[in-house]
């Protein structure tokens, strides 16, 4: 008796392991903003990649530095939270920022964002002496 060959289809689903760390793009970050920048303005947007798939590639950004001047949204937008004044306040900020994936367990990486505050012509001229004689 001759046997008939049988064909069977096997489907293999490969599940992604969270084996890649998200990586910031084009770091370290540096930008300049005017002391006139309005509170609530987005002053920088960070970018990162993660070659995992699904939730393992989802990215959340955060600010690790303690700063009352800036906030970082989970999508990577850096927002001014407090008014700047070049003449009386900080002229530069170094912020430590983090990107974390949504895998289990999650993986993360950190980088630095340097923000320089630029001076504007916002002060009246001042005479050096009260009286001038010629």
């Amino acid at each position: 008796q001759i046997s008939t060959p049988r064909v069977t289809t096997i489907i293999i689903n490969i599940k992604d392991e969270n084996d890649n760390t998200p990586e910031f793009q084009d770091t370290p970050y540096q930008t300049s903003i005017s002391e006139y920048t309005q509170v609530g303005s987005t002053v920088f947007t960070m970018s990162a990649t993660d070659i995992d798939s699904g939730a393992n590639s989802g990215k959340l950004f955060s600010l690790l530095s303690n700063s009352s001047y800036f906030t970082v949204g989970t999508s990577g937008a850096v927002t001014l939270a407090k008014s700047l004044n070049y003449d009386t306040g900080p002229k530069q900020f170094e912020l430590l920022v983090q990107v974390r994936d949504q895998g289990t367990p999650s993986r993360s990486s950190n980088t630095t964002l340097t923000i320089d505050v630029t001076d504007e012509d916002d002060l009246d001229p001042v005479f050096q002496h009260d009286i001038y004689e010629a």
Side-chain angles (χ1 to χ4, degrees):
Q1 178 178 20
I2 300 176
S3 67
T4 312
R6 297 178 188 237
V7 176
T8 302
T9 302
I10 299 174
I11 298 173
I12 301 173
N13 291 320
I14 299 174
K15 182 180 173 189
D16 180 48
E17 290 293 322
N18 192 27
D19 56 346
N20 295 288
T21 300
E23 296 179 5
F24 284 100
Q25 302 298 301
D26 304 318
T27 60
Y29 294 130
Q30 183 159 2
T31 192
S32 297
I33 61 173
S34 164
E35 68 176 323
Y36 285 166
T37 302
Q38 295 293 313
V39 171
S41 298
T42 298
V43 298
F44 193 81
T45 302
M46 296 178 286
S47 176
T49 59
D50 188 326
I51 61 174
D52 287 314
S53 63
N56 295 335
S57 68
K59 296 169 289 298
L60 298 173
F61 295 86
S62 61
L63 177 62
L64 299 180
S65 299
N66 186 16
S67 173
S68 61
Y69 285 90
F70 299 95
T71 60
V72 173
T74 56
S75 64
V78 180
T79 303
L80 182 63
K82 183 177 176 181
S83 294
L84 300 169
N85 186 322
Y86 182 88
D87 302 300
T88 61
K91 295 171 179 45
Q92 185 180 72
F93 297 88
E94 271 202 27
L95 305 176
L96 182 61
V97 292
Q98 181 178 81
V99 61
R100 177 176 299 280
D101 66 25
Q102 296 178 5
T104 304
S106 65
R107 299 172 70 102
S108 65
S109 62
N110 302 338
T111 194
T112 302
L113 167 59
T114 302
I115 300 175
D116 293 309
V117 179
T118 59
D119 193 17
E120 299 295 340
D121 187 14
D122 60 342
L123 298 176
D124 293 329
V126 177
F127 287 102
Q128 297 295 321
H129 305 284
D130 290 334
I131 299 173
Y132 289 85
E133 294 180 21

